[in-house]
Amino acid sequence: MANLKDIQQRIKSVGSIQKVTKAMKMVAAAKVKRAQERMEISRPYSKNVQDLICRILPEISSSNIDLIEKRDVKKKGFIVITSDRGFAGSFNSSVIRLTEKEVEKFGKDNVQLFCLGKKSSEHFSRRNYNVKESFYDFWKDMNFDNASDITEKIIDSFINKEVDEIHVIYNRFRNLGSQDLMIEKVLPIDFTENYNVKNYNYDYEPSRQSTVNVLLPKHLKVQMWQQMLESYSSEEAARMVAMDNATENAKEIIKELKLEFNKARQAAITTEMLEIVGGAEALAD
Amino acid sequence: MTKSFQLDIVTPIQSFTFEDVIHVECPGSEGYFGVLKNHTNSIIDLKEGVISVKTSNKTIRFNCSSGIADINSDPSDDLPDKVLLLVENVEQLQE
């Protein structure tokens, strides 16, 4: 049996860990709430941009618009959204696993990866995947400009025909206890299902074509912003659950250690008493 | 007949709604333009500049990035009668 001092030290260190995990859980809960609010705020912009595109696109020839041009898919791009930090259960590993599966289907040489978050960037770079761009260290102070810059690089890659199709793999926030692993096509943009074919009589300035060329990147940017927020909410929710589990486990361990400590203390007292009794009997003899 | 209309300025990070706008001036890609009630239905590219919103009792000005103005005033269509400015960034100017 371990000695009393050792057990006491372990109780103390597990207690400290418990305090840290509890604090991390609370911080994560606050971050989820904030990300949810930001997601809510971005919805009207996203919806209005999409509505507008669906009103204008049916009226113009799509052959002149790069971002909706469908090509034979010889090279694919994947945007992989993970986090910079761990301690979030299977949040990162599930995205990485799905990406590996998708890359395998199409062949490692024909795929370019755009990694958001240190976890995916490090994982795929180390394994010699074709990582075209890596973006990290922005999650803490994430803003719309980050999404905008990332989207511009992705659009360049598509327009320069480095890839013929781009998909995004990320976790979508469902509720605090669960996330959905998503894979969605980003480029070429396909709105045909949502087309609003009613002929609205508009004046365009400078031209219909120019308006679409302005709107499509805006649509992609806000989509990226929302996906980043979804992923960030999921990350913090996953971290919250992981930290809650860790706090509970620490509580269990402390309970067991306290039991062990009491047993050891009891044993020490018994031994001491036996020694005293033995000593007294020896004196009496 | 009321001469005011609704104006929404929407960005990915914040939105402003004005219910009683009399006149709004926006930085169009081909120069500043003004919008009054019953303006022709138009979709106009915006460039960086200043948006001036005149309501019944005050004028509010915003710095904005590029974007799109969606002006709907035709009662024959099924779209809400309002002016919508979609921009990436907007910042209210202190008067």
Side-chain angles (χ1 to χ4, degrees):
Chain A
M1 193 177 275
N3 72 41
L4 286 172
K5 210 176 163 195
D6 286 346
I7 300 172
Q8 228 167 359
Q9 217 147 28
R10 280 196 65 198
I11 291 174
K12 208 175 150 189
S13 68
V14 176
S16 310
I17 292 170
Q18 191 188 20
K19 274 184 200 160
V20 172
T21 54
K22 210 171 170 182
M24 281 177 81
K25 181 193 152 191
M26 280 177 343
V27 170
K31 284 184 178 171
V32 172
K33 197 165 170 259
R34 216 175 128 229
Q36 290 288 296
E37 283 166 7
R38 290 166 99 182
M39 227 148 63
E40 212 51 57
I41 293 169
S42 72
R43 276 193 187 123
Y45 181 84
S46 163
K47 188 184 172 297
N48 282 311
V49 169
Q50 196 167 332
D51 282 354
L52 202 49
I53 294 171
C54 292
R55 261 187 278 153
I56 306 170
L57 263 188
E59 296 176 17
I60 57 174
S61 157
S62 60
S63 58
N64 304 326
I65 306 165
D66 292 335
L67 297 179
I68 58 174
E69 181 200 351
K70 282 184 187 143
R71 312 178 199 139
D72 288 340
V73 184
K74 290 177 192 131
K75 288 208 164 220
K76 259 191 188 182
F78 286 98
I79 305 163
V80 189
I81 309 182
T82 56
S83 65
D84 283 348
R85 296 184 301 148
F87 293 118
S90 61
F91 171 82
N92 289 314
S93 56
S94 56
V95 172
I96 287 171
R97 259 202 314 272
L98 180 61
T99 310
E100 282 178 338
K101 225 166 106 187
E102 289 297 319
V103 172
E104 207 177 297
K105 269 191 223 164
F106 211 71
K108 215 170 169 179
D109 297 334
N110 302 321
V111 171
Q112 286 192 355
L113 298 178
F114 302 86
C115 296
L116 273 71
K118 230 175 233 169
K119 290 288 167 186
S120 56
S121 173
E122 281 172 359
H123 179 93
F124 291 113
S125 303
R126 244 185 259 136
R127 287 162 181 79
N128 294 325
Y129 280 76
N130 193 359
V131 179
K132 166 89 177 144
E133 296 274 357
S134 286
F135 311 91
Y136 46 81
D137 284 341
F138 61 83
W139 291 109
K140 222 166 114 190
D141 308 305
M142 179 173 56
N143 57 43
F144 186 73
D145 292 342
N146 298 125
S148 195
D149 295 345
I150 292 167
T151 311
E152 270 164 26
K153 288 200 172 134
I154 288 160
I155 289 175
D156 284 348
S157 209
F158 183 76
I159 289 177
N160 297 336
K161 302 198 171 159
E162 290 166 28
V163 284
D164 303 308
E165 209 172 84
I166 298 181
H167 296 254
V168 58
I169 299 175
Y170 70 106
N171 279 297
R172 175 178 280 173
F173 179 86
R174 196 200 299 165
N175 55 46
L176 284 175
S178 60
Q179 301 89 38
D180 297 324
L181 190 56
M182 304 296 291
I183 176 161
E184 288 171 3
K185 191 161 96 174
V186 177
L187 281 166
I189 299 172
D190 188 3
F191 276 127
T192 36
E193 284 174 20
N194 305 318
Y195 274 179
N196 183 347
V197 286
K198 188 174 172 193
N199 195 12
Y200 296 102
N201 195 14
Y202 280 110
D203 284 349
Y204 290 90
E205 190 183 304
S207 68
R208 214 175 275 193
Q209 182 82 32
S210 135
T211 304
V212 168
N213 286 337
V214 170
L215 274 172
L216 291 178
K218 284 189 189 303
H219 164 74
L220 289 174
K221 284 175 186 177
V222 74
Q223 288 296 106
M224 174 59 75
W225 173 237
Q226 287 185 323
Q227 282 152 355
M228 282 162 68
L229 287 172
E230 289 277 2
S231 178
Y232 186 69
S233 304
S234 304
E235 177 198 341
E236 293 301 341
R239 182 164 295 123
M240 206 182 102
V241 171
M243 290 303 111
D244 191 41
N245 291 339
T247 309
E248 283 303 310
N249 289 344
K251 212 164 137 187
E252 277 299 307
I253 292 170
I254 288 173
K255 205 172 145 190
E256 280 165 23
L257 284 172
K258 274 190 176 161
L259 192 69
E260 199 181 325
F261 176 80
N262 286 335
K263 277 183 186 167
R265 192 172 57 96
Q266 195 64 53
I269 291 168
T270 310
T271 315
E272 225 168 279
M273 279 177 70
L274 283 174
E275 277 168 8
I276 292 166
V277 172
E281 276 175 3
L283 282 175
D285 290 342
Chain B
M1 203 174 87
T2 171
K3 285 183 175 173
S4 65
F5 58 91
Q6 185 185 326
L7 169 73
D8 289 344
I9 303 175
V10 182
T11 81
I13 51 168
Q14 59 184 334
S15 299
F16 298 90
T17 297
F18 301 95
E19 300 285 350
D20 59 340
V21 177
I22 291 165
H23 178 250
V24 57
E25 191 182 60
C26 306
S29 60
E30 295 184 347
Y32 274 83
F33 62 93
V35 181
L36 292 164
K37 174 88 178 162
N38 296 328
H39 189 285
T40 321
N41 280 1
S42 316
I43 293 176
I44 301 171
D45 291 7
L46 301 175
K47 62 175 186 184
E48 277 180 32
V50 177
I51 301 168
S52 297
V53 182
K54 191 178 170 205
T55 64
S56 51
N57 53 7
K58 59 185 171 185
T59 301
I60 306 154
R61 285 146 55 85
F62 297 91
N63 258 338
C64 75
S65 64
S66 62
I68 298 280
D70 178 11
I71 303 164
N72 286 297
S73 287
D74 187 347
S76 63
D77 66 35
D78 55 3
L79 298 167
D81 177 11
K82 69 175 181 187
V83 175
L84 173 69
L85 305 180
L86 292 168
V87 288
E88 277 176 19
N89 280 306
V90 76
E91 189 187 347
Q92 190 170 346
L93 293 171
Q94 300 298 325
E95 296 300 325

